[in-house]
Structure formats: C-alpha cells, structure tokens
Amino acid sequence: MMNWMTRARRGIRTWHKKDLPGGLWEKCPSCGEILYVESLEKGMSVCPKCFNHFRITSDKYLQILFDEGTFKEMDSAIHSSDPLNFMDRKKYTKRIKSARKTTGCNSAVLTGTAELNGRIIAVAIMNFSFLGGSMGSVVGEKIARIAGKAVKESLPLVVVSASGGARMQESILSLMQMAKVSAAIAALSNAGLPFISILTNPTTGGVAASFAFQGDIIIAEPKALIGFAGPRVIKETVGEELPEGFQCSEFLLEHGMIDMICNRKELKNTIGFFAESFMRNKELRYKEESLDNGKKTLSIIW
Amino acid sequence: MAIERVGNLQFEAPLLSIEEKIEILKQKGFASQSKEIKKLDERLRDLEEKIYENLSPWEEVQLARHPDRPTLMQYINLIFDDFSELHGDRLYGDDPAIVGGIASMGEKRLMVVGHEKGRNTKDRLKHNFGMASPEGFRKSLRLMKVAEKFALPVLSFVDTPGAYPGVGAEERGQPGAIAMNLKEVFSIRTPIVVVIIGEGGSGGALALGIGDKVMMMKHSIYSVISPEGCAAILWKDKKKRLKLLQLFV
Ligand SMILES: [Zn+2]
C-alpha cells in the first residue's frame, strides 16, 4: 500500500467498513458520528452532522452529476502495461491486477459523454480507489482523448479529479502525461470551449500541477486536500510545521487559487449553470453565422 | 422610535424631521393615505428636490459616499435572477473589495464585476471599504477574459474611494496591476458597460472603468483622486489642507 493511502491524517484516511459490525453503519472520520450507510448514500455520502464529504467512486459521481442513463463510456478497455518492469515492494503488474480486481475498473479514470440537464458534456471522473487515482499513461491518454472529443464535437469538458499525483511506477512516462494532457487542454481552450475542473479530496501532485488547475472555472468540494507537495512530503523534506487548515479547499479559496467551494448537493446545478453560461452565446453566434450563408462577418461576434 | 437612517448628513436634517413627523402620525394610527400624511409627503418631496438639486460640491461628495446608498451586491440582487460569484486571482489571494461572477437576466448571461464597499461597519471592514488590492484588479481582469472567451458581455460597477494605499498592496505591485487592467481591458472583444454607482476615485476606479459605454448614476462622482487625497498632495501642511476642503463647503 502507498503510505499516503493509509496515512491517518485529516480527510486522507480511508475508512474500513469492516471496523463496524454488519457493514450497515459507517463512522464519520471527521466528527465520529455513526451513520446508517443507506441514508448516508442517499445523502450523496455527505455527513449530515458535519458535512464531511466522504470519498465516493466515479460511478457515484456519474449518478450525482449527470442525467440518468445518458452516460456513454469511451476507451473503457485500455489498461496499463508495465513498460519499465517496475517493482517496489510489489510488482507493478500485480498492483494493477489487484486494483482492476477490487475496483472492477480498468484504470483510474472513467471517461465518456453524458447529459447534464439535457446538455451533452465530455466527462472524465477519476477514481481514487484505483491506485490512489494516480496518473500513468492510461489516465493521461484517456483524459487527452476525451478533451479531443470535446474539441471535435464542440462540447464543454468537466473533469472530476481525485488523485495523489503522477504514478511513480511509470516514472518519466507518467511525468510526460502532465505535458500531454496540458496540450489537449490547450487545444480545447484555443477552440474556445469551456473546461470546468472539479477538485475533490485529494487533488495533489502532478494532477494538481496539470489539468486540475487548468480549468476556466475551478470548483472544489469542501475540506478537500489540494496542493502540490503533500503535507508529509513538505514536513519530511523541509521540516516545516504546517498551519491548521493548510492545503484544504478553504485555504485555497482564501489564497485566490480556486473560484469557489461547492457542496456535492449543489454541484450538478452549479456545473450546469456554468456550462450553459459559457456555451449559450457561442452557439447563438454559430447559428447566426450559418444563417448568413457564406458571409463571414465578425460583427455579431462579441 | 426614530427612523433608521445611518447617514445623517447635515443637509438632510430638514428631511429627517419631516420623516419623523410622518412616523409619529403613523404610530398614532393615521393611515398612509390620510390627508395629514399626504401633505407631509408632498412637503418632503418638494424639499428633497430643492435640497438635492442645490448641493455644494462637498455635499455632492458626501452624497456619493452616503452610507445608505445601495452598494454593488444590492444592484446585483435587484437586477439579476441568479448570480454565481467567482473568486481569486489564481496568484495570491481573493480580494473582497472587488466582487465578480456570472449573472443571469432572463435568458441572458453576463459577467458582472465591481467594487463592493459593504453595508454596515463589519461588512465595510471585510470589503476594505471598496479599496482594492492588486489581487482584486487581477481577479477582475481574469474574469473579463473568461467573459471574452465565452462571448459574455461585461457589466462593471465602479464604487471606490481609490485603490488601497497600503504596504502590502505596494509590495504586490499595485500600480502594475492597475496599469495591466487599463491596457488589457482595451483588448477585450466582448461589450463592456460601466456604471459609476457612487464614488469613482482615481486609478482604482478607472481600472474597472474602461468600457464601450460609461454611465454615472445621479449624485455620483468621478475624479482623479478623492478631495482628501488631493489636499494631502497639494498641501503638505495639515492646517492648510483644511482650507482647500473648506473651499468646497
Ligand atoms: Zn461527520
């Protein structure tokens, strides 16, 4: 297991259902409240007492953010190989195999198109439970492809990030994903299409330092850990003590790094509002242009 | 029992006394359509016209800064159906002296930016009395560029005594931030409508004041600097400074 997955620190902790009897109850890691799993899930996995946002899978985000039954997955079969024949405490191939088995996914990101209040959106949702949502060649490739699809079909792009950063086991190949995805986001931006980036707990390292912070609008879930070097890395490398609330969403908002913090329950309508606001006038413009039949005047373009 | 009016300006005293009389009558059970109250109402309106049409320059300044004047957030709440605030300059901080976000007006969507002075003492401190720091100007420019990218018109509200004159603001490049706004806003291709809603003081106002249409609300002011600032520059001696201000009164 990677250290940062088991580390018992604010918000970064993974809770094991087996600690509680029957799996019917779950303890809120933030306030200690014992919650009935079924009602917790109905409430979008937000603690009703302290509003702690539990980490949820990419499938759950699909349910929460998009219109039912509208998701069309892309590139679902691509999965990682092990070009470097990498081994730390375990062989990388074994890690991939067990991650695929436990999550039922082939990679740490789910991509495709889905409708949000009737509008088609290009979507990528990361899955933290797949090797800590780390970005290797497959994650990078899938996000670059979905951004490419957005350009081709003039769709807004929404990416929900949940990642510890670049995947160590793919070394330089992982590092280059940051550049590859950025190129795809630049193309999207040059096409004048909106990219709405959603940061969830945690969004750090090479993911934060590439597409996650390239959004036209950047929205974070409350109390998510967001930063470049994680708290442990900072402590161990420069020996600095970290102030309370350091690198949480609220800290980032105060420091001007994100546009807003949004509760999970309002996330769908918030994304919908921005997608609509950013696409509407552009589409009007295109309509008026095609009416003019060949006459390409800039006069109606703001 | 007195009428709740924060800003008791001297020239408004006669108005206040009539308003109080009306309030007393109402409490005694007079209907607002009663002859007595109607008469007072009429007197109030006549007097209002007389007073506000004949203000001295200094009184105009006071009126532009009137604590009861609506501020940006009230305009936003009254004009738009929906407003989603966007924060931060993506560099250093989020300046509450400048508020911006996407607003909807029926089917229309637009970007709104402006100075927020705050409504009460606590609120004013939070918004730093509408005096922006470099972060505020950079946020405003960032949002205008978002607006341009997605073909949204921009509505800019100006209401500030001036850019914040503080050490931190200088350290983070106050003049450069204003200068950048002035230059870059001229390249924004979406339409920009500017309204001076209260005080338009100096470069801090102009930084949000470049547009295709520039309007001023009645009894608002727009100047190279606040009268106090001007006096401080022209008269280093504090006593003589008063003289300049008295010229206005
Ligand atoms: Zn809780």
Side-chain angles (χ1 to χ4, degrees):
Chain A
M1 242 355 193
M2 290 178 199
N3 287 334
W4 42 268
M5 276 186 77
T6 47
R7 186 182 59 222
R9 205 193 168 258
R10 164 189 56 83
I12 267 290
R13 151 174 204 184
T14 37
W15 202 268
H16 300 287
K17 282 188 185 175
K18 63 174 186 246
D19 293 353
L20 290 160
L24 285 173
W25 302 89
E26 196 154 334
K27 191 173 172 181
C28 173
S30 171
C31 72
E33 184 84 349
I34 306 289
L35 304 161
Y36 189 44
V37 168
E38 208 183 300
S39 64
L40 182 65
E41 280 175 6
K42 266 188 198 146
M44 298 184 182
S45 298
V46 175
C47 171
K49 199 179 165 202
C50 72
F51 300 103
N52 172 46
H53 283 50
F54 284 72
R55 187 172 296 133
I56 54 173
T57 62
S58 28
D59 285 330
K60 279 272 156 60
Y61 273 114
L62 267 187
Q63 265 178 39
I64 288 171
L65 299 180
F66 299 97
D67 305 345
E68 208 185 325
T70 57
F71 180 62
K72 290 180 191 138
E73 194 175 353
M74 272 174 59
D75 305 317
S76 63
I78 324 181
H79 57 85
S80 305
S81 59
D82 181 15
L84 303 178
N85 201 5
F86 196 94
M87 182 167 150
D88 45 292
R89 279 162 297 153
K90 237 192 202 176
K91 279 193 71 120
Y92 179 40
T93 44
K94 278 204 171 149
R95 285 191 192 280
I96 298 167
K97 209 172 156 188
S98 84
R100 288 174 69 183
K101 205 173 154 192
T102 51
T103 59
C105 306
N106 283 327
S107 74
V109 70
L110 184 71
T111 57
T113 57
E115 288 177 26
L116 195 163
N117 298 335
R119 175 177 282 286
I120 303 172
I121 310 261
V123 195
I125 307 173
M126 302 191 81
N127 194 352
F128 190 78
S129 47
F130 194 107
L131 295 178
S134 55
M135 174 163 70
S137 307
V138 172
V139 169
E141 180 65 22
K142 284 179 80 170
I143 292 176
R145 283 192 195 179
I146 192 65
K149 187 172 173 78
V151 174
K152 215 168 143 194
E153 298 178 15
S154 281
L155 304 174
L157 174 68
V158 172
V159 179
V160 180
S161 294
S163 172
R167 188 168 296 172
M168 298 299 110
Q169 293 88 343
E170 291 183 31
S171 190
I172 189 70
L173 301 171
S174 291
L175 187 72
M176 288 308 140
Q177 302 311 311
M178 292 169 67
K180 181 168 79 185
V181 173
S182 300
I185 299 295
L188 181 83
S189 186
N190 290 337
L193 292 160
F195 170 27
I196 300 167
S197 178
I198 314 296
L199 315 183
T200 73
N201 186 31
T203 299
T204 56
V207 164
S210 62
F211 60 88
F213 271 100
Q214 289 163 351
D216 295 297
I217 296 289
I218 302 174
I219 303 172
E221 282 195 342
K223 291 179 191 157
L225 174 77
I226 301 160
F228 183 58
R232 188 176 53 87
V233 174
I234 299 178
K235 265 187 208 164
E236 283 177 14
T237 52
V238 291
E240 260 184 274
E241 268 312 306
L242 304 175
E244 185 63 31
F246 182 67
Q247 291 182 325
C248 69
S249 309
E250 294 70 16
F251 175 92
L252 271 94
L253 184 70
E254 203 186 310
H255 286 78
M257 302 303 164
I258 56 175
D259 284 289
M260 59 163 65
I261 293 172
C262 185
N263 286 315
R264 201 172 278 163
K265 288 176 190 178
E266 289 142 26
L267 204 49
K268 179 175 182 175
N269 283 335
T270 304
I271 296 172
F273 180 79
F274 289 125
E276 195 58 37
S277 300
F278 291 159
M279 294 301 285
R280 181 174 293 172
N281 289 351
K282 298 179 70 67
E283 284 165 352
L284 272 177
R285 186 182 77 182
Y286 290 133
K287 270 178 207 155
E288 290 188 36
E289 266 187 331
S290 57
L291 276 178
D292 273 8
N293 209 7
K295 196 183 155 199
K296 278 191 176 135
T297 166
L298 284 178
S299 62
I300 41 164
I301 300 175
W302 288 330
Chain B
M1 62 140 265
I3 294 157
E4 198 72 60
R5 266 176 87 149
V6 200
N8 288 339
L9 298 177
Q10 219 177 8
F11 58 85
E12 286 183 326
L15 300 174
L16 212 62
S17 92
I18 300 179
E19 280 177 2
E20 264 169 16
K21 275 179 198 155
I22 294 175
E23 195 56 31
I24 289 168
L25 284 180
K26 277 184 183 166
Q27 271 169 15
K28 281 184 179 165
F30 284 82
S32 42
Q33 289 305 312
S34 66
K35 219 200 270 170
E36 290 80 356
I37 289 188
K38 266 186 160 173
K39 211 171 138 193
L40 282 172
D41 265 340
E42 221 165 89
R43 232 173 86 199
L44 185 66
R45 240 167 290 141
D46 285 348
L47 200 58
E48 261 177 0
E49 212 179 293
K50 215 171 119 195
I51 289 175
Y52 290 125
E53 294 306 314
N54 294 289
L55 294 173
S56 73
W58 180 244
E59 285 168 340
E60 282 287 0
V61 171
Q62 287 179 300
L63 198 54
R65 296 171 175 171
H66 202 299
D68 287 336
R69 255 188 118 94
T71 65
L72 172 66
M73 281 320 290
Q74 284 165 301
Y75 280 92
I76 288 176
N77 290 333
L78 289 168
I79 298 173
F80 305 110
D81 312 321
D82 209 345
F83 177 68
S84 205
E85 189 177 348
L86 300 171
H87 295 270
D89 62 351
R90 300 265 170 98
L91 293 166
Y92 175 82
D94 180 45
D95 185 1
I98 288 180
V99 170
I102 293 171
S104 66
M105 187 198 262
E107 287 292 291
K108 293 201 162 56
R109 302 288 167 101
L110 62 167
M111 185 66 81
V112 179
V113 293
H115 301 93
E116 171 61 49
K117 278 189 170 179
R119 290 297 297 161
N120 49 48
T121 312
K122 203 180 143 204
D123 208 28
R124 280 187 194 105
L125 283 169
K126 182 188 151 200
H127 292 285
N128 200 23
F129 304 88
M131 293 186 286
S133 297
E135 304 80 86
F137 298 122
R138 287 171 184 144
K139 168 167 71 178
S140 157
L141 181 59
R142 178 177 81 84
L143 297 184
M144 286 194 190
K145 286 189 170 174
V146 169
E148 177 185 41
K149 186 171 177 185
F150 302 116
L152 299 166
V154 178
L155 185 48
S156 179
F157 290 94
V158 174
D159 191 13
T160 180
Y164 183 57
V167 175
E170 296 294 329
E171 282 172 344
R172 300 191 295 279
Q174 187 74 291
I178 294 172
M180 261 308 155
N181 266 33
L182 299 183
K183 179 182 153 230
E184 296 287 314
V185 172
F186 275 106
S187 312
I188 301 277
R189 283 168 304 156
T190 50
I192 303 174
V193 175
V194 178
V195 190
I196 290 112
I197 57 173
E199 224 180 330
S202 189
L206 189 62
L208 268 69
I210 310 281
D212 302 283
K213 291 270 179 239
V214 180
M215 303 181 256
M216 288 177 78
M217 298 297 284
K218 206 168 180 182
H219 302 300
S220 61
I221 56 171
Y222 199 4
S223 160
V224 69
I225 195 169
S226 67
E228 294 89 342
C230 175
I233 290 172
L234 298 183
W235 278 271
K236 287 194 178 110
D237 182 345
K238 269 196 176 178
K239 274 183 204 157
K240 283 189 184 157
R241 228 182 271 176
L242 280 174
K243 255 192 191 165
L244 176 86
L245 288 176
Q246 274 158 9
L247 280 180
F248 280 116
V249 184

